[in-house]
Amino acid sequence: MASSCIFCKIIKGQIPSMKIFESDKTLAFLDIGPLSKGHSLIIPKYHGAKLHDIPDDQLAEVLSVTKKIAIAQGIQDYNVLQNNGRIAHQEVDHVHFHLIPKPNESEGLGIIWQTQDADKGALSKLLEDIKSKM
Ligand code: 5GP
Ligand code: ZN
């Protein structure tokens, strides 16, 4: 827990939230600034800013809870988003997964997907580099 963290405060009940699900390791609640109706946040209770800061066992439940909420909402089109770092649009430094319903073109997550040309040789070299460090 971090005393200045807004999501830790939500976990501790010091800030109100609209809770969808809670267990010993996971909390899910409605986003206060939704991109679409039902936009929710699923968080590990363990405090850490980025995905790689969170121990595996603290993350284990997050995806299944996300799936449960999607099923409960009856949504067919949606995005699951998890931002790490300011430049990657992270505003709250406590790991959180967004579940964002995409009911139509104008609501929900808007994505600019700018692909780059990929050189096969460079990709192969990169692949070997990553694999060697796994
Ligand atoms: P980020 O840009 O860090 O991935 O997303 C942070 C999200 O947290 C935003 O969608 C924002 O609306 C939400 N948020 C920030 N403060 C609060 C809060 O106090 N309560 C709730 N429910 N959501 C919050
Ligand atoms: Zn926190």
Side-chain angles (χ1 to χ4, degrees):
M1 292 279 174
S3 56
S4 62
C5 170
I6 198 161
F7 285 177
C8 283
K9 286 181 181 168
I10 285 178
I11 292 165
K12 286 186 269 186
Q14 292 170 350
I15 291 178
S17 68
M18 297 197 181
K19 290 182 189 173
I20 301 167
F21 172 91
E22 182 164 21
S23 70
D24 57 337
K25 288 182 181 166
T26 313
L27 181 67
F29 51 97
L30 291 177
D31 193 303
I32 206 169
L35 293 180
S36 57
K37 185 179 159 196
H39 179 168
S40 49
L41 299 172
I42 303 91
I43 68 172
K45 287 188 172 178
Y46 183 98
H47 176 84
K50 296 183 179 178
L51 186 63
H52 60 262
D53 297 325
I54 312 296
D56 289 349
D57 68 306
Q58 303 294 320
L59 281 172
E61 209 180 26
V62 165
L63 267 186
S64 61
V65 170
T66 304
K67 179 178 149 184
K68 267 198 183 102
I69 297 170
I71 291 170
Q73 290 189 324
I75 49 178
Q76 295 299 320
D77 302 295
Y78 52 93
N79 295 96
V80 176
L81 176 71
Q82 198 269 313
N83 300 326
N84 297 276
R86 289 287 171 276
I87 198 169
H89 207 284
Q90 182 178 18
E91 286 173 14
V92 177
D93 289 336
H94 181 127
V95 162
H96 50 281
F97 290 72
H98 296 259
L99 171 59
I100 311 167
K102 186 71 183 167
N104 52 54
E105 276 290 328
S106 58
E107 293 174 86
L109 184 67
I111 301 178
I112 299 169
W113 196 274
Q114 285 172 317
T115 57
Q116 300 180 345
D117 290 336
D119 170 78
K120 275 231 170 100
L123 278 182
S124 296
K125 198 167 169 295
L126 178 65
L127 174 66
E128 290 314 315
D129 183 46
I130 297 170
K131 276 168 47 178
S132 71
K133 290 171 185 159
M134 293 285 283

